[in-house]
Amino acid sequence: VQMGHAAYFAALLNEQETAVTGPKQQAALQLIGRELDNIRTAWTTAVNAGLITYLEQLINPLYHFFRKQGHPREGFRQFGQAADALRDSGPPDLLARLLICQGRLGEHISHDFAVSERLLWEGLALAEREQLVVEQALALDGLGLLALMRGDLAQAASYLNDSLALSREAAAAWMEAGTLVLAAWVRSGEGEWEEAKAACRQAIAIHRQAGNESGVASALTALGQVYIGLGQYREAEKVYAEAFSLCRQNNHRIGEGQALTGLFTACYQIGELAQAARYAQESLAVNRDVGDRLGMAIAYHNLGFLAASNGRYRDAAAHYHQPLAI
């Protein structure tokens, strides 16, 4: 009975393989959400019994669900358990995918970015050996993001350029567009606003052609940062609001938190401080709910900044201690 159950739900998720990054993404993610308890059981059965084919069918749709629907902690744990179980005896191509997916999910929740970095490097080495082009691109994209978080823009650009080349080689449009978004953040960090804007618009076009609304939202959030850098705060507010709306419609919880952070910045710069405070509080609530530690740190910082600008220095100090601890 367990084997038949696992076979059924592995096949069901395998049917969502392309849908989770395309125009039917929302329906696919809703289906996975409705059947999540069954899928968890199927995953556990497959891991415990070493059912490689079932794991291969489950992994990609489940990765996108965990990443987009606010379950990074569960995904990190599930993929980690599978990788540990298969490390000595499993096929290297599957182990590569598990390690890379685990590393990518750990970006938002890990106490130490070195954990995700180690997983991504280990997975990347296997992916290169097994000639898994999309997985190599995904790992390099993740390493680029971690370098960006550390402020190492040159290293981030190097990783992202390599990821972009591999994505285009594999004709993986969803991967290419996602890497373009990170490249835009790097360009923004270097003050190259027009180049960043062009990368954002290219990513938006790719995601819209594919019908990937969550991807569009991610690119719009990056474009909002460009407008902030250019001092065009009303334009920033518009694109952040559109990004938030798309994330809310698609239940993309991590994206919601990021869009709310952008809305805080835009409203603060415009001078709408009460609205900015509401956005900061809502961003904190969303990021806490999904376990996005970096998002929580940014939200606490924004609340501290707002309190200090209003002369509420004790409140500001209390808020500032939180991101320091994180």
Side-chain angles (χ1 to χ4, degrees):
V1 171
Q2 285 181 326
M3 295 301 172
H5 179 275
Y8 177 85
F9 284 99
L12 182 68
L13 255 68
N14 192 47
E15 293 171 359
Q16 315 307 316
E17 177 83 23
T18 56
V20 289
T21 57
K24 297 181 180 179
Q25 176 185 108
Q26 180 61 6
L29 294 175
Q30 286 176 350
L31 171 63
I32 295 171
R34 286 195 303 271
E35 297 291 356
L36 190 56
D37 283 341
N38 278 312
I39 293 164
R40 288 177 178 129
T41 301
W43 180 269
T44 300
T45 299
V47 171
N48 291 342
L51 302 174
I52 302 305
T53 299
Y54 295 168
L55 290 172
E56 289 174 341
Q57 292 174 323
L58 289 162
I59 184 170
N60 280 353
L62 204 50
Y63 165 74
H64 287 285
F65 175 82
F66 285 142
R67 190 168 178 85
K68 293 170 182 171
Q69 301 290 290
H71 298 270
R73 289 184 184 279
E74 179 179 357
F76 184 85
R77 184 178 65 254
Q78 294 272 37
F79 288 123
Q81 289 172 348
D84 289 343
L86 298 172
R87 190 176 294 276
D88 295 328
S89 59
D93 59 334
L94 177 59
L95 182 58
R97 294 164 69 191
L98 288 167
L99 290 167
I100 291 167
C101 288
Q102 186 189 10
R104 294 307 310 260
L105 290 165
E107 293 161 356
H108 295 283
I109 65 169
S110 180
H111 291 261
D112 182 356
F113 291 142
V115 174
S116 281
E117 198 164 31
R118 175 181 57 77
L119 291 166
L120 290 172
W121 278 117
E122 186 180 356
L124 178 60
L126 286 170
E128 288 175 341
R129 197 176 79 193
E130 297 299 311
Q131 299 181 330
L132 304 174
V133 180
V134 174
E135 284 74 11
Q136 290 177 57
L138 186 61
L140 287 163
D141 184 81
L143 290 168
L145 175 59
L146 294 175
L148 176 61
M149 288 175 173
R150 289 196 304 269
D152 189 345
L153 299 183
Q155 186 64 77
S158 176
Y159 290 141
L160 295 173
N161 286 336
D162 290 344
S163 176
L164 206 54
L166 289 165
S167 299
R168 288 168 175 162
E169 177 187 335
W174 66 271
M175 187 72 249
E176 177 186 356
T179 303
L180 282 168
V181 170
L182 288 184
W185 284 102
V186 172
R187 294 287 197 175
S188 295
E190 294 172 334
E192 298 174 354
W193 303 113
E194 291 306 318
E195 292 84 350
K197 190 189 296 184
C200 289
R201 287 177 172 163
Q202 189 177 355
I204 290 168
I206 293 171
H207 280 311
R208 282 196 167 135
Q209 184 176 4
N212 186 346
E213 291 189 341
S214 295
V216 172
S218 176
L220 286 169
T221 299
L223 182 58
Q225 179 62 28
V226 174
Y227 284 130
I228 292 291
L230 293 170
Q232 299 172 7
Y233 304 123
R234 287 293 182 189
E235 289 299 318
E237 184 184 20
K238 288 178 186 175
V239 296
Y240 282 133
E242 184 181 353
F244 177 76
S245 177
L246 287 170
C247 289
R248 177 61 58 89
Q249 290 169 27
N250 290 279
N251 197 31
H252 185 2
R253 299 285 284 153
I254 289 176
E256 280 185 43
Q258 292 169 342
L260 286 164
T261 296
L263 283 166
F264 161 83
T265 304
C267 287
Y268 180 85
Q269 294 292 347
I270 292 167
E272 298 173 352
L273 301 187
Q275 185 62 59
R278 285 191 286 272
Y279 284 136
Q281 290 286 2
E282 193 173 352
S283 174
L284 177 60
V286 170
N287 286 311
R288 183 186 287 132
D289 184 48
V290 302
D292 186 339
R293 293 171 55 78
L294 181 60
M296 288 169 60
I298 293 170
Y300 275 123
H301 172 271
N302 289 341
L303 287 167
F305 188 77
L306 192 60
S309 67
N310 289 330
R312 296 185 289 108
Y313 301 118
R314 289 188 183 278
D315 290 343
H319 287 309
Y320 279 138
H321 279 297
Q322 297 287 344
L324 280 172
I326 293 171

